[in-house]
């Protein structure tokens, strides 16, 4: 098995491409080891000292390191953990995880605007952030403000504020005049 790695805009995060399906659909975000109980793959990766977060996409694994860890020291162990997982035959997820990458439901007077926002996020934004090893989910729309949550490599990335403000906000405002601002949610 040959696992490729790619850098991301977030220097604390690397994207690992095992050349096999990770999650058939959706995403799974594990910002802390305690939350990885339902994923044998994420638990193996968290067993590596210096790992701060694991994000699973369709065909990639994004790993965030602690500030104290150095990639040249922990990357070989992470590669080994991923390889061991695939050789074990264990499932990536041992228990049903709500499929990530979804969006909060919204009905009411803004339902049409919300549907337009979700459509633009799914077709224009999410594919781009997935290439960088992350994901973005819609959390709400209130009085012209769109609330989004960034995951994986995008969470905590130094350029995430710029991505939200200059990229996503400008895109949404261009196509949907009712949108006046985009704000992150934790």
């Amino acid at each position: 098995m040959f696992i490729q790695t790619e850098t991301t805009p977030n220097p604390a995060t690397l994207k690992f491409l095992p050349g096999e399906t990770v999650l058939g659909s959706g995403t799974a975000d594990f910002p802390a080891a305690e939350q990885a109980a339902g994923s044998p793959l994420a638990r193996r990766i968290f067993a590596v000292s210096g790992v701060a977060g694991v994000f699973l996409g369709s065909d990639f694994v994004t790993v965030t390191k602690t500030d104290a860890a150095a990639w040249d020291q922990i990357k070989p162990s992470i590669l080994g953990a991923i390889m061991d997982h695939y050789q074990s035959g264990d499932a990536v997820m041992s228990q049903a995880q709500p499929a990530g990458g979804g969006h909060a439901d919204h009905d009411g007077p803004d339902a049409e605007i919300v549907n337009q926002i979700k459509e633009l996020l799914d077709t224009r934004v999410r594919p781009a952030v997935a290439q960088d090893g992350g994901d973005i989910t819609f959390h709400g729309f209130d009085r012209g403000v769109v609330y989004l949550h960034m995951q994986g490599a995008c969470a905590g990335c130094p350029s995430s504020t710029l991505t939200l403000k200059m990229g996503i906000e400008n895109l949404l405002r261009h196509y949907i005049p009712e949108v006046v601002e985009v704000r992150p949610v934790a």
Side-chain angles (χ1 to χ4, degrees):
M1 169 178 241
F2 178 72
I3 303 170
Q4 294 180 330
T5 60
E6 293 179 0
T7 58
T8 70
N10 184 346
T13 304
L14 272 181
K15 182 176 175 182
F16 294 80
L17 299 137
E20 300 197 18
T21 299
V22 177
L23 290 179
S25 64
T27 60
D29 189 23
F30 305 102
E34 304 80 49
Q35 297 166 324
S39 172
L41 174 56
R43 284 195 315 266
R44 274 189 170 96
I45 296 169
F46 271 114
V48 176
S49 178
V51 171
V54 176
F55 180 82
L56 307 176
S58 60
D59 64 347
F60 65 89
V61 176
T62 303
V63 179
T64 303
K65 69 176 188 66
T66 62
D67 290 339
W71 281 121
D72 59 346
Q73 294 173 346
I74 67 170
K75 183 177 166 183
S77 297
I78 294 168
L79 288 166
I82 294 170
M83 195 170 301
D84 288 348
H85 172 79
Y86 279 96
Q87 290 175 344
S88 76
D90 289 345
V92 171
M93 301 296 293
S94 62
Q95 47 186 256
Q97 164 104 352
H103 302 294
D105 288 333
H106 193 333
D107 52 12
D110 294 330
E112 187 175 327
I113 294 168
V114 168
N115 286 336
Q116 290 175 355
I117 292 167
K118 289 178 181 180
E119 177 70 18
L120 282 170
L121 290 174
D122 286 343
T123 58
R124 302 252 182 146
V125 178
R126 292 182 73 214
V129 296
Q131 285 187 333
D132 286 339
D135 197 10
I136 191 162
T137 55
F138 173 82
H139 275 264
F141 176 74
D142 184 35
R143 290 181 238 142
V145 180
V146 178
Y147 296 92
L148 302 174
H149 177 64
M150 301 188 82
Q151 300 174 312
C154 298
C157 176
S159 61
S160 67
T161 302
L162 187 63
T163 299
L164 275 177
K165 288 296 183 188
M166 300 306 290
I168 299 167
E169 183 177 293
N170 286 345
L171 173 81
L172 293 177
R173 288 174 67 184
H174 175 76
Y175 288 102
I176 307 167
E178 294 85 354
V179 172
V180 295
E181 184 182 2
V182 172
R183 291 184 190 162
V185 296

